[in-house]
Amino acid sequence: MTVPAPDGGGRAPRGRAVVVGASSLIGTAIAHRLRRGGWAVEAWGRDPDDLAARVPGCLVRQVDVTRRADVERALRPEGGPLTALVYAAGVFDWADCDRADPDTWQEVFDVNLTAAAGVVRLAAPLLLEHAPSSLVLLGSTAAHRSFAHNAAYVASKHGLLGLSEAVRAELGPRGVAVSIVNPGMVAAGASLLSDRGREDPGSLLQAQDVAEAVHYAAAAPAHACISRIDLAPRGD
């Protein structure tokens, strides 16, 4: 499938950007923002028909990130040089630690951390080959703070922060800028189920706010690395 030329008034394309987890409201906003920023964007998700409707103009790939074969197939270089990858896939669970569903906790770890590490491992050689390049992981305030009633999510995001720092130490000197963006409550997904989300969703971050932060990290100059962005609703 041919990827249409990105918007940008004649600006030279930045290369190929993969957005993992583009089906979510935040992932969709990230895909649109990177495309406006000059990348040829690939949107990964489990439902290609839904993705095609959400991100017109992007190349859509059906990918289950928990399946290594899916990731390896999608990363084949036919789409052009990989210069940016954003891991935005995630699963959330509200549950007391003594009552949580073990299968749900397993899914939280599988998607939020184990699959993220697998994608990073498989994408790293391509990002190195086309350096300077960018790797951005979507974390959370839960990456550096702990909250009751979502222990598995907190643990998975703590792990993602550690992953970003360790991978940055390895890949940064070789031309890959590794960043983590940690948004607070966003008017999307599980945050809308919170008391604040139900009562005053306009006070939360918007998906576009997160997309702007991701773009800022991904588009940093070749000599710079935006290592971490902590983004919160004003007043928090």
Side-chain angles (χ1 to χ4, degrees):
M1 182 184 299
T2 301
V3 180
D7 302 332
R11 177 173 47 211
R14 292 181 179 269
R16 169 190 175 204
V18 168
V19 179
V20 183
S23 298
S24 69
L25 191 63
I26 294 173
T28 296
I30 292 170
H32 283 297
R33 184 63 186 92
L34 293 184
R35 185 169 181 267
R36 291 199 308 275
W39 278 276
V41 175
E42 287 184 15
W44 289 13
R46 296 188 182 188
D47 186 341
D49 293 333
D50 177 62
L51 272 178
R54 286 174 175 270
V55 287
C58 297
L59 178 64
V60 169
R61 292 193 185 277
Q62 183 176 13
V63 181
D64 179 346
V65 293
T66 66
R67 295 172 56 88
R68 177 176 173 178
D70 275 18
V71 175
E72 289 178 329
R73 181 171 59 252
L75 280 174
R76 289 176 183 169
E78 70 230 27
L82 182 64
T83 58
L85 186 140
V86 180
Y87 191 91
V91 176
F92 188 87
D93 181 46
W94 286 110
D96 294 338
C97 66
D98 58 329
R99 300 181 181 179
D101 177 8
D103 290 336
T104 300
W105 273 26
Q106 185 65 59
E107 183 185 13
V108 169
F109 283 113
D110 286 347
V111 175
N112 294 5
L113 183 55
T114 304
V119 170
V120 168
R121 163 61 188 88
L122 294 171
L126 297 175
L127 292 168
L128 286 166
E129 181 181 354
H130 301 293
S133 55
S134 302
L135 170 65
V136 184
L137 304 178
L138 189 63
S140 165
T141 300
H144 55 90
R145 291 180 57 190
S146 296
F147 303 94
H149 312 300
N150 53 3
Y153 182 79
V154 168
S156 70
K157 291 300 185 178
H158 271 58
L160 196 69
L161 176 60
L163 178 70
S164 74
E165 293 175 345
V167 172
R168 183 184 313 116
E170 292 188 34
L171 300 187
R174 301 163 69 187
V176 182
V178 181
S179 310
I180 186 166
V181 174
N182 295 318
M185 296 183 73
V186 183
S191 292
L192 292 175
L193 302 177
S194 67
D195 290 342
R196 182 175 177 181
R198 288 191 297 266
E199 295 167 4
D200 190 11
S203 71
L204 306 182
L205 295 171
Q206 303 300 304
Q208 291 78 10
D209 300 328
V210 182
E212 288 294 340
V214 169
H215 176 266
Y216 180 70
H223 65 276
C225 175
I226 312 300
S227 58
R228 171 173 159 177
I229 297 176
D230 293 337
L231 185 67
R234 189 169 297 184
D236 277 13

mmCIF file of all heavy atoms in Angstrom, residues 77 81-82 123-133 174 176:
data_model
loop_
_atom_site.group_PDB
_atom_site.id
_atom_site.type_symbol
_atom_site.label_atom_id
_atom_site.label_comp_id
_atom_site.label_asym_id
_atom_site.label_seq_id
_atom_site.Cartn_x
_atom_site.Cartn_y
_atom_site.Cartn_z
ATOM 1 N N PRO A 77 11.371 -3.906 6.186
ATOM 2 C CA PRO A 77 11.716 -2.547 5.772
ATOM 3 C C PRO A 77 11.092 -2.054 4.477
ATOM 4 O O PRO A 77 11.542 -1.045 3.941
ATOM 5 C CB PRO A 77 13.242 -2.635 5.632
ATOM 6 C CG PRO A 77 13.507 -4.050 5.269
ATOM 7 C CD PRO A 77 12.482 -4.858 6.017
ATOM 8 N N PRO A 81 12.998 3.733 5.396
ATOM 9 C CA PRO A 81 13.858 3.797 6.580
ATOM 10 C C PRO A 81 13.082 4.155 7.833
ATOM 11 O O PRO A 81 12.333 5.139 7.859
ATOM 12 C CB PRO A 81 14.877 4.888 6.224
ATOM 13 C CG PRO A 81 14.217 5.709 5.160
ATOM 14 C CD PRO A 81 13.354 4.768 4.389
ATOM 15 N N LEU A 82 13.249 3.357 8.876
ATOM 16 C CA LEU A 82 12.560 3.589 10.144
ATOM 17 C C LEU A 82 13.347 4.619 10.942
ATOM 18 O O LEU A 82 14.442 4.343 11.418
ATOM 19 C CB LEU A 82 12.429 2.287 10.930
ATOM 20 C CG LEU A 82 11.689 2.385 12.268
ATOM 21 C CD1 LEU A 82 10.236 2.783 12.046
ATOM 22 C CD2 LEU A 82 11.770 1.060 13.022
ATOM 23 N N ALA A 123 13.006 -3.541 16.912
ATOM 24 C CA ALA A 123 13.122 -2.299 16.143
ATOM 25 C C ALA A 123 14.500 -1.659 16.261
ATOM 26 O O ALA A 123 14.903 -0.885 15.385
ATOM 27 C CB ALA A 123 12.059 -1.305 16.597
ATOM 28 N N ALA A 124 15.230 -1.968 17.329
ATOM 29 C CA ALA A 124 16.500 -1.295 17.592
ATOM 30 C C ALA A 124 17.485 -1.369 16.418
ATOM 31 O O ALA A 124 18.089 -0.353 16.056
ATOM 32 C CB ALA A 124 17.140 -1.844 18.866
ATOM 33 N N PRO A 125 17.673 -2.532 15.795
ATOM 34 C CA PRO A 125 18.618 -2.558 14.670
ATOM 35 C C PRO A 125 18.221 -1.636 13.522
ATOM 36 O O PRO A 125 19.082 -1.021 12.874
ATOM 37 C CB PRO A 125 18.602 -4.031 14.233
ATOM 38 C CG PRO A 125 18.169 -4.780 15.447
ATOM 39 C CD PRO A 125 17.177 -3.881 16.129
ATOM 40 N N LEU A 126 16.924 -1.508 13.258
ATOM 41 C CA LEU A 126 16.462 -0.629 12.181
ATOM 42 C C LEU A 126 16.655 0.839 12.553
ATOM 43 O O LEU A 126 17.050 1.659 11.712
ATOM 44 C CB LEU A 126 14.992 -0.903 11.869
ATOM 45 C CG LEU A 126 14.663 -2.301 11.352
ATOM 46 C CD1 LEU A 126 13.155 -2.474 11.212
ATOM 47 C CD2 LEU A 126 15.354 -2.562 10.021
ATOM 48 N N LEU A 127 16.371 1.177 13.810
ATOM 49 C CA LEU A 127 16.580 2.554 14.257
ATOM 50 C C LEU A 127 18.062 2.915 14.237
ATOM 51 O O LEU A 127 18.434 4.047 13.889
ATOM 52 C CB LEU A 127 16.006 2.733 15.660
ATOM 53 C CG LEU A 127 14.477 2.653 15.764
ATOM 54 C CD1 LEU A 127 14.056 2.543 17.234
ATOM 55 C CD2 LEU A 127 13.813 3.864 15.111
ATOM 56 N N LEU A 128 18.911 1.979 14.603
ATOM 57 C CA LEU A 128 20.358 2.219 14.537
ATOM 58 C C LEU A 128 20.832 2.379 13.094
ATOM 59 O O LEU A 128 21.667 3.239 12.787
ATOM 60 C CB LEU A 128 21.101 1.067 15.210
ATOM 61 C CG LEU A 128 21.036 1.024 16.736
ATOM 62 C CD1 LEU A 128 21.516 -0.320 17.249
ATOM 63 C CD2 LEU A 128 21.871 2.156 17.334
ATOM 64 N N GLU A 129 20.278 1.563 12.216
ATOM 65 C CA GLU A 129 20.677 1.626 10.812
ATOM 66 C C GLU A 129 20.370 2.975 10.195
ATOM 67 O O GLU A 129 21.118 3.463 9.330
ATOM 68 C CB GLU A 129 19.958 0.523 10.026
ATOM 69 C CG GLU A 129 20.308 0.476 8.544
ATOM 70 C CD GLU A 129 19.550 -0.608 7.807
ATOM 71 O OE1 GLU A 129 18.835 -1.401 8.465
ATOM 72 O OE2 GLU A 129 19.682 -0.670 6.566
ATOM 73 N N HIS A 130 19.276 3.606 10.660
ATOM 74 C CA HIS A 130 18.844 4.868 10.061
ATOM 75 C C HIS A 130 18.985 6.040 11.026
ATOM 76 O O HIS A 130 18.301 7.055 10.879
ATOM 77 C CB HIS A 130 17.401 4.735 9.570
ATOM 78 C CG HIS A 130 17.222 3.648 8.557
ATOM 79 N ND1 HIS A 130 17.770 3.715 7.299
ATOM 80 C CD2 HIS A 130 16.589 2.449 8.633
ATOM 81 C CE1 HIS A 130 17.468 2.609 6.627
ATOM 82 N NE2 HIS A 130 16.760 1.827 7.410
ATOM 83 N N ALA A 131 19.902 5.911 11.976
ATOM 84 C CA ALA A 131 20.157 7.002 12.909
ATOM 85 C C ALA A 131 20.737 8.212 12.163
ATOM 86 O O ALA A 131 21.408 8.036 11.142
ATOM 87 C CB ALA A 131 21.136 6.529 13.977
ATOM 88 N N PRO A 132 20.436 9.437 12.661
ATOM 89 C CA PRO A 132 19.730 9.748 13.903
ATOM 90 C C PRO A 132 18.247 9.416 13.815
ATOM 91 O O PRO A 132 17.586 9.709 12.818
ATOM 92 C CB PRO A 132 19.960 11.251 14.072
ATOM 93 C CG PRO A 132 20.171 11.758 12.676
ATOM 94 C CD PRO A 132 20.876 10.652 11.949
ATOM 95 N N SER A 133 17.749 8.804 14.863
ATOM 96 C CA SER A 133 16.368 8.351 14.893
ATOM 97 C C SER A 133 15.842 8.486 16.324
ATOM 98 O O SER A 133 16.586 8.854 17.236
ATOM 99 C CB SER A 133 16.282 6.900 14.411
ATOM 100 O OG SER A 133 17.148 6.069 15.170
ATOM 101 N N ARG A 174 24.784 5.902 20.132
ATOM 102 C CA ARG A 174 24.853 5.384 18.766
ATOM 103 C C ARG A 174 23.826 6.053 17.853
ATOM 104 O O ARG A 174 23.590 5.609 16.740
ATOM 105 C CB ARG A 174 24.652 3.874 18.792
ATOM 106 C CG ARG A 174 25.694 3.167 19.642
ATOM 107 C CD ARG A 174 25.292 1.756 20.011
ATOM 108 N NE ARG A 174 25.280 0.865 18.877
ATOM 109 C CZ ARG A 174 24.833 -0.397 18.916
ATOM 110 N NH1 ARG A 174 24.360 -0.881 20.059
ATOM 111 N NH2 ARG A 174 24.843 -1.151 17.845
ATOM 112 N N VAL A 176 20.433 7.002 18.553
ATOM 113 C CA VAL A 176 18.990 6.843 18.747
ATOM 114 C C VAL A 176 18.582 7.572 20.021
ATOM 115 O O VAL A 176 19.025 7.212 21.121
ATOM 116 C CB VAL A 176 18.582 5.359 18.837
ATOM 117 C CG1 VAL A 176 17.065 5.243 19.000
ATOM 118 C CG2 VAL A 176 19.045 4.597 17.604
#
